[in-house]
Amino acid sequence: MTPHSRSARLLAEAAGTAFLLATVVGSGIMGETLAGGNVAIALLANTIATGAILVVLIAAFGPISGAHFNPAVTLVFRLRGEIGTAEALAYVGVQIVSGIVGVWVAHLMFEQGLAQVSVHVRSGPGQWLSEGVATFGLIMTILFGIRAKANVAVMVGLYITAAYWFTASTSFANPAVTIARSLTASFSGISPADVPGFIAAQLLGSVAALGFFGLVAKGERENPPA
């Protein structure tokens, strides 16, 4: 845990998650507006903006709160014993609320109605598998990045940029993001009915990634370099 106060950590999580969702939804609106019906161009715009903001937000807030911005990430660090239960629950609550605020800010910036509900259907085995794979890869990127003392901000930004395109779901990989995106009727939305399936897949993917990381670490302990 960082030396910053709990209030500072929660404020960092709130600001980071809100800016993340404002970027995801705002760039989706902008991309769809300017793409002239070309969905690939709209998705590319959405991808670049999201990957870029993740690098900035993780670099800025990582030293304060750990820059989770994601209940799946918080769950993993709770299971690793690096954050307490009360703190983890506070993180998750802040992530969900601030994510919704970020969506509302995006709506206001583009002069759209504040309260919206998505009708964008994202359901089925391919979508659920995609979310499991996307979240597994995200957690793997974070854990192995930390272990390698690499630039995790850049790694996560690049991973999400890639995962937008190699997963059928466009890689939500985040329960707070999934909930918030159900409250926008824009390009980046998800139908509320499809949220539980996404979240279940995300949580399973995150726990599986933690298990995989543990197996690799165990193998290294059992077979140390000569």
Side-chain angles (χ1 to χ4, degrees), residues 26-116:
S27 65
I29 295 171
M30 180 70 82
E32 187 175 35
T33 301
L34 298 179
N38 189 321
V39 179
I41 296 298
L43 180 61
L44 181 61
N46 199 203
T47 302
I48 293 170
T50 302
I53 199 65
L54 278 169
V55 175
V56 173
L57 294 175
I58 294 171
F61 294 120
I64 302 172
S65 68
H68 295 189
F69 315 142
N70 185 338
V73 173
T74 300
L75 170 64
V76 166
F77 282 100
R78 174 64 195 94
L79 294 175
R80 285 170 57 84
E82 297 183 26
I83 184 173
T85 300
E87 184 98 353
L89 290 173
Y91 266 42
V92 171
V94 164
Q95 290 157 1
I96 292 171
V97 172
S98 59
I100 293 170
V101 170
V103 170
W104 288 345
V105 169
H107 290 165
L108 292 174
M109 287 192 294
F110 287 91
E111 299 184 354
Q112 296 193 357
L114 185 68
Q116 301 179 20

Side-chain angles (χ1 to χ4, degrees), residues 5 9 39 99 128 135 151 164 213:
S5 68
R9 295 193 295 271
V39 179
W128 301 327
T135 313
N151 189 325
Y164 253 77
F213 179 79

Side-chain angles (χ1 to χ4, degrees), residues 4-13 61 64-65:
H4 295 83
S5 68
R6 183 176 182 183
S7 61
R9 295 193 295 271
L10 293 178
L11 283 171
E13 284 296 299
F61 294 120
I64 302 172
S65 68

